[in-house]
Amino acid sequence: MASGTGRMVPPAWLTAGLRPEPAPVPWPATVRAALALSLPLAVGLALDRPAEGALVSMGALSGVIGDTADAYRMRVFNIAVPQLFGALGVTLGTLVFGHGWLAVATLTLVALVSGMISSIGAVASASGLLLLLNAVVGAGLPMPDPWWKAPVLLGLGGIVVLALTLLGWPLRRAAPERAAVAATYRTVADLYEAAGSEAYQEKRHAVTGSLNQSYDLILARRTRQHGRTSSLARLLAQLNVLIPLLEAAPAADLRARRHGPLPPAVAATVRELADAVEHGRAEPAAPALPPSDRPSDKAVAHALRHAATVVHETEPHPHDVDDRLGRPASLAVRARRATRTMLLSAPSWRYGLRLALCIGLAQSLVSLIAVPRSYWVALTVTFVMKPDFGSVFSRAVLRAVGTCLGLVSAALVLAEVPRGWWDVPVMAVLAALIPVFSAKGYAFQTAAVTPVILLLSDALNQQGFDLVLPRLYDSLIGCAIALVAGYLLWPESWHSRIGDRLADAVADAAAYVALAFRPAAPGTGASGAGASRPGVDAARLRARRKLYRDLSAVRSEFQRALTEPPPTGTRAAAWWPLAIAVERIVDATTAARIRVAHGAPPPDPAEVAEVARELRELADGLRATDVLVPVRAHLPGDEDGVLAPLRQEVRAARAIAGPELPPDGP
């Protein structure tokens, strides 16, 4: 693409991953990585067993990369479980080392299982990755005898990372959960500061992500601790009282657009509550808010006062610690569900077969062509094909770029630094860069991990500088295999399912509209849509949270699709306005519901039914056609009524035209 000055510049979808993400330096993780990878090397050199020390460092490298959670229990889970799969993988690889086609068949089968496991979730994905990676390493590098020594040494590396991770646990047992809840409060404060501005939607996405993380941390611990421990109960209560504040936010945004900015005291009060949560303070103080007769202002004031009361309670009321959004099922139940999903899910089998095909081709190529130590081909395929870090295409490109950058630094080290004790400080420096660069993006993580793996490999096979060029060739071959066999040959790579995902979200939005204004059942003493209905309100809260989670997943799917080359990236860009419109519909529904609950006249049930019908028709249309077609929605109603903003958003969504879409659609 030519720029305005006539220069040729690469397209944005190609260079998106090469821009470093802004992220602070994770100092604790940096120190842990330096110690976890350099100490085993030092011990191995001191005992005159450098190869064994390198294997322990390899196991530690896997633990360092996998240590991405916040809460200590989840960190232990994220490190320990993948290490068990890694031990199984290196055992299988060691047993077939040097056996030619038996190694090809074994690694292909391991790749199939690894791919299917990876479709379950984040921990399962890391476990599947380590299973395959260690199997590839075991089948490509000579391991010390007997066969059980390699898995033991790799597992010992994981134990080193676990030990360093848990050093602060006695003093900071609940600190990660408390910090997460306080961070969620601060994102809510940012949301209220952005009310009425174009930054509101971006801030709402940040709130959704932060709230999801906080609930996942706390509710995951409650599956293991069925008793209501005081610290967890208080944190859950403090998190639950954010729900009314979040429900009031769309109404506050609408109010700010019509009547000007919100009082600064709103965001300031939420920030004060965040500080109280983080430091465990209990100093009751009523929020100082200006009086107002607007329903949205009354909703915000009511939610803030309730939040201030709960945050400063030392012993929360039992009602406030209910798992209103649903506590996760027990581990055994979730394991059965995950196994059933893995075995019966078509996407699970598709990804497993794609990965197996690529690994089979890579290992067959190594067996047919006499390239020494070319396990790096299958290693590259594994990293590129990992499903939850972005598109295969962009990962292949970023992997190639990152490997080239990493090989430059590795070449300098291998050429200039003598082997032996100098490896220890060099490894400490290179390992410390892994957490720093991982936060910047995949290409940067690859550039940091590549020299570490090469130095550890050199300790096992003593090839020195001769490792560099073969590893570059192997990386490029692996990227090519992943692009052809893992991307181009599969139609789903070229036909993104974002249209189907959007249709599901629109249908869920229609159900949410109907639920939000559902009248109370006769005989309950309620009158109108604004009455208190505990059962309906709980269902509405769960539906809204699920809808926001789904919309967050749709947004992630779009971000992944936008990094694909045309036509997938072009289609994603064309569908993007409709995704934004659906988010605005959900916000408008919540705003109307809050206004009704705080004094606005409830809408006519026929008007609610008409809005829900329009959304269902839009969802059906998205599933029935491959091309967005503009449909002018006729939604008559009171233009001064509570549903007027919602009808406007629905009309906007249905009026989105797609003449710029390719004729074959998404």
Side-chain angles (χ1 to χ4, degrees), residues 349-571:
W349 280 97
R350 279 200 304 269
Y351 175 67
L353 291 172
R354 287 172 70 179
L355 185 56
L357 174 61
C358 292
I359 292 295
L361 288 175
Q363 203 64 24
S364 298
L365 181 65
V366 171
S367 300
L368 292 172
I369 301 177
V371 181
R373 308 281 190 258
S374 51
Y375 66 95
W376 200 274
V377 177
L379 210 65
T380 300
V381 168
T382 304
F383 277 117
V384 171
M385 291 294 295
K386 193 174 188 304
D388 53 350
F389 280 169
S391 73
V392 170
F393 182 89
S394 63
R395 283 174 62 82
V397 174
L398 297 177
R399 176 78 185 176
V401 173
T403 299
C404 292
L405 294 175
L407 287 174
V408 171
S409 58
L412 293 174
V413 172
L414 292 173
E416 301 297 332
V417 179
R419 304 275 65 77
W421 282 101
W422 278 105
D423 287 341
V424 177
V426 169
M427 180 60 66
V429 173
L430 292 176
L433 295 177
I434 293 176
V436 179
F437 280 26
S438 295
K440 301 295 182 183
Y442 179 69
F444 300 93
Q445 182 190 53
T446 302
V449 170
T450 297
V452 171
I453 297 180
L454 281 176
L455 290 180
L456 295 177
S457 300
D458 183 52
L460 293 173
N461 55 36
Q462 302 295 324
Q463 281 188 298
F465 188 80
D466 294 337
L467 276 172
V468 176
L469 282 180
R471 294 299 80 85
L472 175 60
Y473 300 148
D474 291 345
S475 293
L476 297 178
I477 292 172
C479 290
I481 290 174
L483 280 176
V484 175
Y487 181 78
L488 297 177
L489 296 183
W490 296 82
E492 65 188 49
S493 301
W494 297 89
H495 299 280
S496 174
R497 295 183 64 252
I498 52 179
D500 294 338
R501 297 290 300 273
L502 261 181
D504 293 341
V506 173
D508 290 342
Y512 175 57
V513 168
L515 182 62
F517 302 100
R518 181 181 298 172
T524 61
S527 60
S532 175
R533 302 151 295 164
V536 175
D537 285 345
R540 177 177 54 79
L541 286 177
R542 285 192 290 269
R544 187 181 68 87
R545 286 293 302 131
K546 179 181 182 300
L547 188 50
Y548 275 123
R549 276 185 180 262
D550 291 345
L551 288 173
S552 180
V554 169
R555 175 172 285 267
S556 298
E557 187 81 13
F558 266 101
Q559 291 171 344
R560 180 178 301 182
L562 289 170
T563 63
E564 299 275 10
T568 303
T570 306
R571 293 169 185 153

Side-chain angles (χ1 to χ4, degrees), residues 580-634:
I580 298 297
V582 176
E583 293 178 346
R584 294 179 65 88
I585 287 171
V586 178
D587 281 348
T589 304
T590 302
R593 176 70 187 86
I594 290 301
R595 292 176 63 197
V596 169
H598 288 83
D604 186 344
E607 187 179 6
V608 175
E610 181 67 13
V611 171
R613 185 186 65 79
E614 288 283 347
L615 289 173
R616 286 193 295 269
E617 286 185 0
L618 176 59
D620 294 340
L622 292 176
R623 294 190 181 98
T625 181
D626 288 336
V627 180
L628 286 175
V629 178
V631 177
R632 300 295 173 181
H634 300 287

Side-chain angles (χ1 to χ4, degrees), residues 233-277:
R234 188 179 182 193
L235 283 174
L236 184 58
Q238 292 168 344
L239 194 57
N240 280 339
V241 293
L242 278 178
I243 296 176
L245 267 176
L246 292 177
E247 285 206 309
D253 176 57
L254 181 63
R255 176 259 192 227
R257 292 180 185 275
R258 290 179 172 179
H259 305 291
L262 299 178
V266 174
T269 300
V270 179
R271 294 192 192 282
E272 291 173 2
L273 295 178
D275 293 337
V277 169

